């Protein structure tokens, strides 16, 4: 078999793209998962998706040309909020400005002439953990991303992500944990996310400050955030510690319900800063142990991810890029 023309050459690299609310990061990644180069730009500068795609295409071509040539890039994988792998579309995103259904994968493919796969951010985080992190070698596990963007989750069954009938599986953040409870961003009431993601933790802190009138350093925080509350915990602030106790109680209950249904090897918690997990993980484990089906208690591992989230997500997006069929206008 001849192996000397451009079209027959094995393409040895992919590009991983991580689209977040504030910044978009892209990286050239080789077959072994080495990041060869990265670039980034503010997502917020491009409220029109067409302008976003123009700059993204330019940056992809530039980074490829500077790292072995565009002709060696096999495909592109993208991580973005509210995305659906099955349709290649961003679907009704709540926290980025491109509204409605955006066929991002097809739009980028048409601009750069390479195969493009799109996955939602929770799916990509789980892929990153599976290939490079705490879930390496596991067949059945759940990755829960917790933080600024809410609560995302993705479950792997028998080594592959379970995407559901419509590509929307894993919305653990919008399972109801308090009937008639807090109003969630999704429009429903009492969702898990409304209590345990960043906004929920801050709301709990504010409610507790109002209810108890107890002295707390949280009053002095310039802007109350889970990180600022963790800082108060470090200084021995009882009320701040109680905020994470209440949050952990609810998170442990939510995770236990899912673990009892699925019996996974592990649940991996990702994305909150280490100092937040330091205060949240103990109460979460206590609650999890009390609520999970007792035959699997002590068997399901509850662990905190040790990967750097920005690196993990471009690597996860690169792992997704290897799964799509190659595309060329000329084949
Ligand atoms: Zn919700």
């Amino acid at each position: 078999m001849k192996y000397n023309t451009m079209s027959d050459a094995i393409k040895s690299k992919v590009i991983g793209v991580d689209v977040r609310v504030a910044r978009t990061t892209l990286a050239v990644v080789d077959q072994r998962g080495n990041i060869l180069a990265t670039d980034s730009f503010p997502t917020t500068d491009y409220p029109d998706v067409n302008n976003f795609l123009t700059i993204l295409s330019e940056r992809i071509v530039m980074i490829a040309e500077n790292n072995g040539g565009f002709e060696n890039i096999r495909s592109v994988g993208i991580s973005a909020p509210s995305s659906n792998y099955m349709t290649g579309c961003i679907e009704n995103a709540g926290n980025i400005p491109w509204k409605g259904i955006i066929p991002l994968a097809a739009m980028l493919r048409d601009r750069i002439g390479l195969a493009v796969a799109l996955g939602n951010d929770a799916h990509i985080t789980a892929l990153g953990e599976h290939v490079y992190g705490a879930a390496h070698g596991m067949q059945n596990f759940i990755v829960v991303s917790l933080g600024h963007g809410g609560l995302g989750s993705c479950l792997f069954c028998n080594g592959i992500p379970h995407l559901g009938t419509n590509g929307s599986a894993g919305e653990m953040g919008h399972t109801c944990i308090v009937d008639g409870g807090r109003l969630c961003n999704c429009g429903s009431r009492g969702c898990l996310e409304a209590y345990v993601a960043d906004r929920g933790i801050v709301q709990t802190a504010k409610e507790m400050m109002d209810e108890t009138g107890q002295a707390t350093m949280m009053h002095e925080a310039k802007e109350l955030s889970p990180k600022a509350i963790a800082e108060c915990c470090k200084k021995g602030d009882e009320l701040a510690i109680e905020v994470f106790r209440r949050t952990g109680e609810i998170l442990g209950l939510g995770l236990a319900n899912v673990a009892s249904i699925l019996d996974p090897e592990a649940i991996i918690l990702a994305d909150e800063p280490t100092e937040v997990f330091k205060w949240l993980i103990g109460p979460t484990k206590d609650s999890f142990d009390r609520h999970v089906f007792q035959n699997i208690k002590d068997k399901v591992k509850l662990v905190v991810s040790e990967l750097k989230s920005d690196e993990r997500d471009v690597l996860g997006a690169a792992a997704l890029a290897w799964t799509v069929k190659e595309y060329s206008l000329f084949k």
Side-chain angles (χ1 to χ4, degrees):
M1 181 183 140
K2 70 182 168 60
Y3 180 54
N4 53 2
T5 63
M6 193 68 83
S7 61
D8 289 342
I10 292 171
K11 297 184 172 186
S12 59
K13 300 180 188 100
V14 293
I15 289 181
V17 182
D18 180 25
V19 181
R20 297 190 185 203
V21 177
R23 274 196 99 67
T24 294
T25 305
L26 55 152
V28 180
V29 180
D30 70 13
Q31 282 158 315
R32 294 182 165 213
N34 297 307
I35 295 177
L36 306 178
T38 61
D39 188 10
S40 75
F41 59 89
T43 313
T44 41
D45 285 359
Y46 304 94
D48 181 325
V49 73
N50 289 300
N51 297 338
F52 171 79
L53 282 163
T54 301
I55 181 90
L56 180 60
S57 309
E58 282 170 15
R59 297 293 185 102
I60 285 173
V61 171
M62 196 162 68
I63 201 170
E65 286 300 343
N66 291 336
N67 291 278
F70 189 74
E71 68 277 11
N72 287 316
I73 304 295
R74 181 191 177 277
S75 46
V76 177
I78 309 177
S79 163
S82 307
S83 295
N84 188 329
Y85 175 74
M86 288 182 177
T87 62
C89 296
I90 297 181
E91 299 181 349
N92 305 311
N95 52 4
I96 46 177
W98 317 319
K99 297 303 171 208
I101 308 287
I102 311 279
L104 199 79
M107 287 167 93
L108 183 64
R109 184 195 67 187
D110 289 348
R111 284 181 185 235
I112 61 175
L114 291 179
V116 178
L118 176 71
N120 83 47
D121 42 11
H123 172 187
I124 299 297
T125 296
L127 258 184
E129 292 291 341
H130 192 218
V131 182
Y132 304 103
H136 192 72
M138 288 185 187
Q139 296 288 301
N140 298 291
F141 62 93
I142 304 165
V143 176
V144 176
S145 318
L146 205 59
H148 188 64
L151 184 150
S153 68
C154 178
L155 60 112
F156 266 61
C157 287
N158 303 324
I160 55 169
H162 176 75
L163 300 174
T165 311
N166 303 295
S168 292
E171 290 295 351
M172 193 194 299
H174 302 292
T175 55
C176 185
I177 203 90
V178 180
D179 189 23
R182 290 179 187 170
L183 187 62
C184 178
N185 275 341
C186 74
S188 296
R189 281 196 175 273
C191 293
L192 180 62
E193 170 173 311
Y195 293 84
V196 303
D198 285 9
R199 229 164 53 98
I201 297 175
V202 170
Q203 189 173 338
T204 301
K206 286 181 176 161
E207 284 174 7
M208 287 176 65
M209 286 193 280
D210 289 346
E211 278 166 25
T212 65
Q214 198 176 318
T216 166
M217 284 175 258
M218 289 190 288
H219 284 298
E220 286 135 47
K222 233 189 212 160
E223 196 186 343
L224 208 52
S225 65
K227 216 172 159 180
I229 301 168
E231 277 301 310
C232 298
C233 293
K234 212 165 118 189
K235 293 173 192 152
D237 190 307
E238 267 305 317
L239 201 68
I241 293 170
E242 185 59 28
V243 170
F244 285 121
R245 264 193 221 123
R246 284 203 194 174
T247 306
E249 180 67 26
I250 295 174
L251 180 58
L253 172 57
L255 298 180
N257 284 343
V258 174
S260 298
I261 296 169
L262 296 167
D263 183 16
E265 291 168 74
I267 297 177
I268 295 141
L269 297 172
D271 282 355
E272 278 291 9
T274 320
E275 47 277 55
V276 172
F277 275 132
K278 190 173 165 236
W279 298 97
L280 187 57
I281 193 74
T284 303
K285 275 187 171 156
D286 286 348
S287 170
F288 182 84
D289 286 349
R290 272 185 283 112
H291 292 109
V292 77
F293 180 54
Q294 290 300 298
N295 286 5
I296 59 169
K297 189 189 151 202
D298 301 326
K299 291 183 179 156
V300 180
K301 294 184 212 93
L302 202 56
V303 292
V304 173
S305 165
E306 289 179 358
L307 293 180
K308 280 194 211 148
S309 69
D310 50 348
E311 266 184 23
R312 178 201 56 215
D313 291 351
V314 283
L315 287 172
L320 192 73
W322 289 109
T323 68
V324 289
K325 205 166 160 275
E326 274 189 63
Y327 166 85
S328 166
L329 276 174
F330 309 105
K331 275 181 187 168

